[in-house]
Amino acid sequence: MLYDGFGREVNYLRISVTERCNFRCQYCMPEKPFSWKPRENLLSFEELFLFVKVAIDEGVNKIRITGGEPLLRHDLDKFIAMINNHKKGIDLALTSNGFLLARVAKKLADAGLKRVNISLDSLKSDRVHKIAQKDVLKDVLNGIFEAKKQGLKVKLNCVPLKGINDDEVVELLDFAKENGFMIRFIEYMENNHANQSIIGLKSDQIKRIISQKYKFKGIGRQGASPAEIYELEDGYRFGIIDPHKHDFCESCNRIRLNAEGMLIPCLYFDEAMSIKDAVKRGDIKAAAEVLRLVLKNKPEKNRWSEEDNETSARAFYETGG
Ligand code: SAM
């Protein structure tokens, strides 16, 4: 088992397989002009897998593939199959914007993917167009329903934003409820890469909106998940992720690997160490040592809650959120 310097067990690895994305969500990405890091900097799936094996053998049992948009990387199903074949029973999940999902959901499920979290910020085409800066709603919905058809467990992620989609919170909840998906509302996390005029809704505001239609009770967090779970009277459960609170840092069980091989102990901080040289040499011992050092230096908590409106310099499209 893996433990960090604060005695927290770390069993969850999130891998961002590309920083590139086919959307330009205003809360995540800068507007143009924009240049990506060169493709040659990316680690191959074989190189990423070498580290994944080390992490699994040391105790990681949950892996989420994210991005950028992970489905922009060809042959993602092969990477998933590599992990699935290395050790059965790994909780293998994907976070995607859903745009390309309809075409690959079957291949991903066949390869061993179990769950997919899909971003859905609005059910209105023009709004989705405004948020993502691309006309994508129809394809996203096709992706969501194809994933369900292929037996993947679907969760929806929504970032409620003032004056943009805050009047759709209940509608999105109803959509999720009717279709058997859990929805999690994520508080907007301030960062340097977003459109700086954005104002996100706080957890209390989201709850106030939902309470205008539904009675619900808080049932706490499940395991190390950052989402606070709420239950409606009919038993339907939704979540709210509030990074401005620190209670989930106390049980943080995750580390992040980006597409260039940076191993990142906390979403908030810039500190990270590279596994690139180790995996390029096929040096398992060196990769394990980087893992050990990163865990040792994992910060106690993020800084989003601090008084002076702390902002992270880290791009979510690089780390996968
Ligand atoms: N492209 C995929 C997607 O759209 O889900 C995966 C990457 S995206 C960075 C992962 C998650 O981060 C999404 O659910 C997105 O809504 C969330 N996210 C991105 N920027 C955020 C921000 N500033 N605050 C809160 N959540 C954010």
Side-chain angles (χ1 to χ4, degrees):
M1 284 204 265
L2 292 166
Y3 291 95
D4 73 4
F6 294 93
R8 294 172 292 200
E9 187 187 339
V10 173
N11 62 356
Y12 180 14
L13 174 65
R14 295 174 65 102
I15 309 171
S16 170
V17 291
T18 177
E19 62 164 0
R20 293 175 191 232
C21 193
N22 40 2
F23 291 10
R24 295 287 179 275
C25 297
Q26 293 198 35
Y27 50 78
C28 185
M29 285 218 162
E31 294 187 42
K32 292 167 207 156
F34 184 79
S35 62
W36 304 111
K37 290 182 191 133
R39 277 188 205 278
E40 326 58 281
N41 290 16
L42 287 188
L43 292 186
S44 66
F45 282 144
E46 287 71 23
E47 288 161 347
L48 289 171
F49 181 56
L50 192 134
F51 179 77
V52 168
K53 278 193 289 189
V54 169
I56 290 177
D57 295 346
E58 297 274 352
V60 162
N61 55 23
K62 179 174 176 183
I63 294 178
R64 176 173 298 279
I65 294 165
T66 176
E69 174 46 40
L71 298 185
L72 287 180
R73 248 186 104 173
H74 295 296
D75 295 336
L76 191 67
D77 57 309
K78 296 197 177 122
F79 183 49
I80 288 169
M82 282 178 192
I83 301 171
N84 194 43
N85 294 337
H86 178 65
K87 189 169 178 186
K88 296 283 172 230
I90 297 288
D91 180 6
L92 256 172
L94 175 80
T95 300
S96 166
N97 60 31
F99 186 73
L100 299 169
L101 191 56
R103 332 179 178 171
V104 292
K106 181 172 184 338
K107 273 205 290 189
L108 298 176
D110 289 348
L113 187 73
K114 301 189 175 60
R115 303 187 292 115
V116 58
N117 291 3
I118 302 166
S119 299
L120 185 70
D121 294 315
S122 168
L123 289 164
K124 299 187 196 326
S125 259
D126 54 337
R127 284 198 182 169
V128 172
H129 194 157
K130 187 174 170 198
I131 297 168
Q133 307 195 65
K134 186 168 170 173
D135 186 13
V136 294
L137 180 63
K138 199 165 149 255
D139 296 276
V140 171
L141 292 176
N142 286 342
I144 289 173
F145 288 112
E146 186 59 27
K148 181 180 179 182
K149 189 172 151 201
Q150 294 304 329
L152 294 168
K153 198 170 163 209
V154 174
K155 278 187 195 167
L156 303 177
N157 286 337
C158 168
V159 183
L161 306 169
K162 265 195 190 130
I164 298 182
N165 62 350
D166 49 349
D167 59 348
E168 264 190 277
V169 167
V170 169
E171 213 175 307
L172 283 157
L173 180 104
D174 284 338
F175 171 81
K177 182 159 123 70
E178 278 154 24
N179 290 292
F181 309 134
M182 175 182 251
I183 188 164
R184 283 120 37 98
F185 298 99
I186 309 176
E187 276 190 6
Y188 169 64
M189 289 174 256
E190 296 74 14
N191 70 96
N192 293 344
H193 305 268
N195 173 341
Q196 295 302 307
S197 67
I198 279 184
I199 302 172
L201 259 60
K202 297 281 182 263
S203 167
D204 283 348
Q205 297 170 303
I206 298 167
K207 283 191 273 183
R208 211 171 305 130
I209 293 173
I210 295 173
S211 69
Q212 286 164 11
K213 175 160 180 187
Y214 291 113
K215 281 199 177 127
F216 57 86
K217 61 176 186 219
I219 58 165
R221 292 190 293 112
Q222 290 173 328
S225 164
E228 198 70 44
I229 306 298
Y230 298 88
E231 191 175 271
L232 304 188
E233 286 180 311
D234 64 5
Y236 174 75
R237 290 179 177 187
F238 66 95
I240 299 183
I241 300 179
D242 172 358
H244 301 85
K245 248 161 98 187
H246 278 144
D247 55 352
F248 67 75
C249 294
E250 284 162 22
S251 56
C252 183
N253 64 343
R254 53 189 69 188
I255 44 171
R256 294 171 164 83
L257 180 64
N258 80 7
E260 299 190 301
M262 295 308 289
L263 192 60
I264 302 159
C266 174
L267 183 59
Y268 183 91
F269 290 93
D270 283 342
E271 283 75 9
M273 281 183 77
S274 180
I275 57 144
K276 188 173 184 166
D277 290 345
V279 295
K280 285 206 176 281
R281 292 197 309 271
D283 187 341
I284 289 170
K285 265 195 181 161
E289 179 58 12
V290 175
L291 175 59
R292 194 187 66 76
L293 285 172
V294 166
L295 286 177
K296 187 170 157 237
N297 295 317
K298 186 170 159 67
E300 188 178 12
K301 53 192 175 188
N302 70 49
R303 272 209 220 114
W304 271 292
S305 70
E306 290 183 4
E307 297 297 304
D308 47 350
N309 283 333
E310 276 279 351
T311 292
S312 169
R314 224 185 232 312
F316 292 104
Y317 58 86
E318 194 197 323
T319 52

